[in-house]
């Protein structure tokens, strides 16, 4: 059960989960389906790679500049900075709240 503790905490408070989504990943959900999926997968991979575009590019099998471009889009849309550990945590929780945890895998 402890390996699913963040999900358990989110499910215990639907109001907090809703607010978390609104404050983090909601702008990405409002895009077209393809763009939304690409940016959410990139975000999940960046979170998993501690914000490293180089590591994320390797996992996503794309060029680092592609990841940097997507990163700028994500940060512009969400108003969050993936270099900031708190923002990265909030975005990770936002991804969990919408059930998006796979990233580029």
């Amino acid at each position: 059960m402890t390996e699913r503790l963040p999900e358990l905490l989110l499910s215990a408070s639907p109001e907090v989960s809703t607010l978390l989504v609104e404050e983090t990943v909601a702008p990405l959900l409002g895009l077209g389906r393809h763009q939304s999926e690409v940016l959410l997968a990139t975000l999940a991979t960046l979170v998993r790679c501690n914000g490293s575009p180089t590591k994320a590019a390797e996992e996503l099998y794309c060029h680092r500049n592609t990841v940097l471009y997507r990163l700028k889009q994500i940060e512009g849309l969400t108003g969050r900075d993936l270099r900031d550990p708190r923002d990265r945590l909030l975005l990770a929780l936002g991804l969990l709240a919408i059930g998006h945890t796979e990233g580029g895998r």
Side-chain angles (χ1 to χ4, degrees):
M1 180 185 291
T2 58
E3 66 275 353
R4 306 273 307 160
L5 188 56
E7 292 87 350
L8 180 62
L9 291 170
L10 288 171
S11 67
S13 179
E15 298 84 14
V16 171
S17 291
T18 300
L19 179 60
L20 184 63
V21 169
E22 289 172 4
E23 292 295 317
T24 58
V25 296
L28 303 179
L29 299 173
L31 302 172
R33 183 174 166 233
H34 176 73
Q35 187 178 14
S36 178
E37 289 174 3
V38 167
L39 292 182
L40 288 169
T42 301
L43 175 58
T45 304
L46 281 162
V47 166
R48 194 172 46 256
C49 294
N50 293 316
S52 170
T54 302
K55 290 180 184 176
E58 291 171 8
E59 279 197 32
L60 292 167
Y61 302 105
C62 65
H63 196 279
R64 182 177 181 273
N65 287 346
T66 301
V67 173
L68 288 172
Y69 175 73
R70 293 175 188 171
L71 171 62
K72 286 182 183 180
Q73 287 182 300
I74 292 165
E75 290 180 338
L77 289 164
T78 64
R80 303 283 174 184
D81 182 347
L82 266 87
R83 294 169 298 184
D84 181 308
R86 182 177 175 84
D87 280 352
R88 199 165 51 245
L89 172 62
L90 288 170
L91 288 164
L93 290 171
L95 288 168
L96 284 175
I98 63 168
H100 196 290
T101 58
E102 292 303 308
R105 291 182 181 173

